[in-house]
């Protein structure tokens, strides 16, 4: 037993016992535990007791360990979420042909090529050649005991005739009027653009050789060729659709074929109003611009509808005017009776015979044109076009790639400089200001719709800066429940634009005033 230890001026303080000594009195004081059938789980030994004064507060009880939670606390870093898998590409089912059908078609086609005399077939007209091919294919199917329904056999006959005489798997795509672009990336991959959106199709070619043969068939119709020695070619279809081919070795995964299709029915300005590309007052301003012979530049990005808009504006040209068009691949569809269409030509195998756009524009000046229309301004021909606009050929038009009207004028200046003309910058800008009256900006929005986003007139020079002002612009208001952008074509408060005097000369000033007032009311 331990003795008591006293201190003066306070209660006795027990000395800190050792762990063994502290445990022994507790064991002696506690009654014996009742017998348990099963041994209890061992408890952890108590921590050594510390001495404290009665005046001091007792120490806080030990905190229990907090259970680990699945939710991270504020100081822990949040766990990174797994990225969602990328959406799968949807494939538009243009036809329901199976792999077995394609194998049968390849077998029959190879037998046809071994049987038929292509030189004699080339001497027949289209209908007679089709009948000859159909008879031979029916005979091959019967000899090989191919089991097919009547509908499948008719489909096979049509496909093989298209392979030999037409454009093969492209025929169903070319027959559709709602497709704007056809993009073939090798034999197994074909995309189309419908309503401004690109989608993949299940159209495929037998192999790259078949695709290359179809490309050569297309370009040969306009006197051009595409092969390894000349792997890049621009051409057109019979309906004016623009074609670009790039072949191996430049195209690594097989020939790449791009077709920009045009609708069978020529679009009019009323159609653009119906599509929402332009409002009725804006369409009236475009009509006045085209009819009053303003020099017009149409600017926009790829696929924004520049050529379609140019075709629409040419509808306002008077029937008695002589119009000459210059294009790399003739795709304009003018509706006037007096039109001369010119087209550039690449060099031949010897590297000679090339005719550039500059050559065509220069030659136009000797052909007594009233208007010159350049399908797309890409290079030094910009200088000759500006000279033509500034020397009595009012109402000339052209298109170029640019995102804004000011960028279009800057690109025009760059093209002249790249042509090797050593002219001062101010002289070039004075030429642009004296030649271009109006810049029309077209754009394809993110929902796939095509809009005329601004009509801008060129005012003049202030110092060395070209001054422009918008007559009309398209302002986006929001988005509907289907994800389509909504907006309005609004005026900018211009009461008398610079081309007012030209409109007055053609007795259209009253119509222009009403159209501008209507734009102001749409605010």
């Amino acid at each position: 037993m331990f003795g008591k230890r006293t201190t003066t001026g306070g209660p006795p303080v027990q000395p800190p016992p050792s762990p063994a000594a502290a445990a022994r009195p507790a064991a002696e004081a506690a009654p014996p535990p009742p017998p348990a059938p099963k041994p209890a789980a061992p408890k952890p030994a108590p921590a050594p007791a510390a001495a404290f004064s009665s005046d001091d507060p007792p120490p806080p009880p030990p905190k229990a360990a907090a259970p680990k939670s699945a939710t991270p606390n504020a100081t822990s870093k949040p766990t990174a979420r797994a990225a969602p898998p990328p959406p799968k590409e949807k494939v538009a089912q243009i036809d329901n042909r199976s792999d077995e059908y394609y194998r049968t078609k390849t077998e029959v086609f190879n037998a046809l090529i071994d049987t038929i005399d292509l030189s004699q077939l080339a001497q027949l007209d289209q209908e007679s050649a089709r009948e000859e091919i159909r008879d031979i294919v029916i005979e091959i199917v019967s000899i090989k005991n191919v089991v097919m329904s009547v509908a499948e056999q008719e489909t096979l006959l049509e496909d093989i005739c298209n392979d030999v005489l037409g454009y093969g798997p492209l025929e169903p795509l070319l027959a559709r009027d709602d497709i704007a672009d056809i993009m073939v990336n090798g034999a197994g991959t074909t995309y189309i653009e419908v309503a401004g959106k690109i989608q993949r199709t299940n159209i495929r070619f037998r192999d790259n050789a078949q695709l290359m043969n179809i490309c050569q068939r297309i370009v040969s119709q306009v006197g051009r060729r595409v092969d390894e020695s000349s792997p890049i070619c621009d051409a057109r279809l019979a309906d004016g659709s623009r074609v670009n081919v790039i072949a191996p070795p430049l195209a690594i995964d097989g020939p790449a074929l791009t077709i920009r299709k045009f609708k069978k029915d020529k679009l009019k300005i009323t159609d653009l109003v119906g599509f929402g590309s332009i409002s009725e007052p804006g369409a009236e301003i475009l009509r006045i611009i085209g009819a009053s012979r303003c020099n017009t530049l149409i600017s926009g990005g790829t696929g924004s509808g520049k050529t379609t808009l140019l075709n629409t504006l040419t509808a306002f040209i008077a029937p008695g005017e002589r119009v000459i068009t210059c294009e790399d691949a003739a795709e304009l569809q003018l509706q006037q009776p007096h039109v001369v269409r010119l087209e550039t030509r690449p060099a031949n195998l010897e590297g000679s015979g090339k005719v550039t756009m500059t050559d065509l524009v220069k030659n136009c000046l000797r052909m007594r044109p009233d208007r010159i229309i350049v399908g797309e301004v890409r290079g030094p021909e910009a200088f000759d076009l500006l000279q033509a606009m500034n020397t009595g050929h009012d109402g000339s038009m052209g298109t170029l790639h640019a995102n804004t009207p000011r960028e279009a004028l800057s690109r025009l200046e760059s093209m002249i400089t790249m042509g090797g003309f050593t002219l001062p910058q101010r002289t070039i800008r004075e030429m642009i200001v004296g030649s271009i009256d109006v810049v029309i900006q077209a754009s394809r929005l993110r929902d796939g719709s095509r809009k005329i986003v601004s009509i801008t007139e060129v005012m003049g020079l202030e110092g060395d800066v070209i001054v422009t002002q918008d007559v009309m612009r398209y302002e986006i208001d929001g988005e509907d429940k289907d994800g389509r952008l909504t907006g309005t074509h609004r005026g900018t408060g211009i009461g008398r634009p610079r081309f007012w005097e030209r409109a007055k000369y053609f007795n259209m000033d009253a119509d222009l005033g009403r159209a501008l007032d209507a734009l102001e009311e749409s605010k």
Side-chain angles (χ1 to χ4, degrees):
M1 297 293 296
F2 295 95
K4 294 183 179 179
R5 185 177 177 184
T6 60
T7 58
T8 58
V13 178
Q14 295 292 339
S18 66
R24 188 165 53 250
E28 292 175 355
K38 293 183 180 179
K43 294 183 179 180
F52 57 90
S53 169
S54 62
D55 296 334
D56 300 331
K63 293 182 180 180
K68 291 185 178 180
S69 170
T71 306
N73 55 26
T75 59
S76 62
K77 294 182 179 180
T79 56
R81 286 187 176 182
K88 293 184 178 180
E89 187 177 32
K90 296 181 180 179
V91 179
Q93 300 294 323
I94 305 299
D95 56 45
N96 56 356
R97 295 167 174 79
S98 62
D99 293 339
E100 181 64 27
Y101 171 85
Y102 280 108
R103 285 193 291 269
T104 302
K105 175 185 169 184
T106 301
E107 183 181 354
V108 174
F109 181 83
N110 292 335
L112 172 67
I113 296 301
D114 295 337
T115 305
I116 201 168
D117 188 350
L118 295 177
S119 60
Q120 293 185 0
L121 187 69
Q123 299 175 3
L124 301 176
D125 61 276
Q126 190 82 358
E127 288 300 322
S128 301
R130 279 186 173 270
E131 290 299 326
E132 183 72 18
I133 292 173
R134 291 174 69 91
D135 294 341
I136 298 175
V137 170
I138 292 174
E139 184 177 354
I140 292 173
V141 168
S142 62
I143 292 174
K144 292 183 174 293
N145 294 324
V146 179
V147 179
M148 303 181 77
S149 66
V150 176
E152 290 175 337
Q153 185 171 341
E154 189 63 29
T155 302
L156 178 67
L157 292 172
E158 189 66 23
D159 285 354
I160 291 181
C161 287
N162 290 335
D163 289 349
V164 177
L165 302 174
Y167 301 137
L170 296 177
E171 290 288 348
L173 301 180
L174 294 172
R176 287 177 51 177
D177 204 33
D178 61 333
I179 295 178
D181 285 276
I182 301 172
M183 296 151 280
V184 182
N185 308 336
T189 309
T190 302
Y191 288 86
I192 59 175
E193 180 189 321
V194 179
K197 298 292 185 180
I198 295 178
Q199 53 184 288
R200 187 170 182 171
T201 69
N202 63 342
I203 294 293
R204 62 184 181 181
F205 294 79
R206 187 171 57 253
D207 49 27
N208 283 331
Q210 183 196 15
L211 175 57
M212 194 64 191
N213 288 336
I214 291 175
C215 293
Q216 290 172 344
R217 191 176 304 155
I218 292 174
V219 302
S220 63
Q221 293 177 352
V222 292
R224 302 189 180 184
R225 62 185 180 85
V226 57
D227 50 29
E228 289 188 1
S229 61
S230 179
I232 300 178
C233 182
D234 288 319
R236 67 178 185 277
L237 298 179
D239 61 352
S241 299
R242 184 170 59 205
V243 178
N244 175 266
V245 180
I246 180 165
L250 302 186
I252 298 173
D253 300 324
L257 171 65
T258 308
I259 301 176
R260 171 67 56 82
K261 283 180 78 274
F262 294 109
K263 292 184 178 293
K264 294 182 176 66
D265 299 329
K266 298 175 182 177
L267 292 179
K268 301 178 180 178
I269 195 68
T270 53
D271 297 319
L272 299 186
V273 174
F275 297 152
S277 299
I278 188 69
S279 62
E280 290 188 6
E284 180 66 10
I285 293 177
L286 292 181
R287 182 189 71 82
I288 295 170
I289 289 173
S292 61
R293 302 188 67 171
C294 293
N295 291 328
T296 306
L297 194 63
I298 299 175
S299 167
T302 301
S304 59
K306 299 186 299 297
T307 304
T308 300
L309 180 56
L310 183 57
N311 274 325
T312 304
L313 287 180
T314 58
F316 306 124
I317 299 175
E321 296 184 32
R322 177 177 171 86
V323 183
I324 301 178
T325 67
C326 304
E327 302 173 80
D328 283 321
E331 55 185 339
L332 292 176
Q333 300 171 329
L334 271 68
Q335 305 166 26
Q336 281 68 33
H338 197 169
V339 177
V340 180
R341 305 169 70 199
L342 305 180
E343 190 176 51
T344 61
R345 186 179 69 181
N348 56 19
L349 286 172
E350 290 78 20
S352 61
K354 183 177 181 179
V355 180
T356 65
M357 184 70 73
T358 303
D359 299 330
L360 294 183
V361 175
K362 285 181 178 179
N363 191 75
C364 283
L365 302 177
R366 307 184 185 100
M367 299 175 64
R368 200 259 172 226
D370 287 320
R371 300 196 193 209
I372 298 174
I373 298 178
V374 178
E376 185 173 341
V377 183
R378 289 194 180 102
E381 67 271 7
F383 180 77
D384 300 288
L385 178 61
L386 292 181
Q387 280 193 322
M389 289 178 171
N390 209 9
T391 54
H393 303 92
D394 294 337
S396 296
M397 303 178 185
T399 71
L400 58 76
H401 283 79
N403 295 325
T404 63
R406 184 163 294 279
E407 287 182 15
L409 300 177
S410 298
R411 281 210 66 202
L412 210 59
E413 182 180 343
S414 301
M415 292 174 190
I416 296 175
T417 306
M418 290 166 55
F421 300 100
T422 56
L423 297 174
Q425 185 185 65
R426 183 175 178 84
T427 303
I428 296 176
R429 293 184 177 180
E430 286 176 350
M431 184 183 300
I432 292 174
V433 168
S435 303
I436 304 295
D437 296 319
V438 176
V439 181
I440 303 173
Q441 183 69 35
S443 179
R444 183 174 63 175
L445 305 183
R446 61 180 173 86
D447 62 347
S449 62
R450 294 173 171 88
K451 304 288 184 183
I452 298 172
V453 295
S454 68
I455 299 176
T456 305
E457 59 177 353
V458 181
M459 300 298 295
L461 276 177
E462 284 188 4
D464 288 337
V465 179
I466 298 177
V467 180
T468 62
Q469 72 175 7
D470 292 338
V471 178
M472 182 211 75
R473 68 168 66 99
Y474 179 75
E475 296 179 358
I476 298 175
D477 298 329
E479 187 175 313
D480 62 11
K481 61 180 181 179
D482 297 325
R484 294 191 171 275
L485 297 176
T486 59
T488 308
H489 290 90
R490 297 184 173 96
T492 58
I494 304 299
R496 293 172 70 95
R498 189 186 179 199
F499 58 88
W500 179 279
E501 295 300 325
R502 188 181 290 272
K504 185 177 181 180
Y505 177 74
F506 285 88
N507 199 24
M508 297 180 180
D509 53 333
D511 296 338
L512 180 58
R514 284 191 292 269
L516 292 172
D517 292 341
L519 280 177
E520 289 300 315
E521 293 173 1
S522 63
K523 286 187 176 181

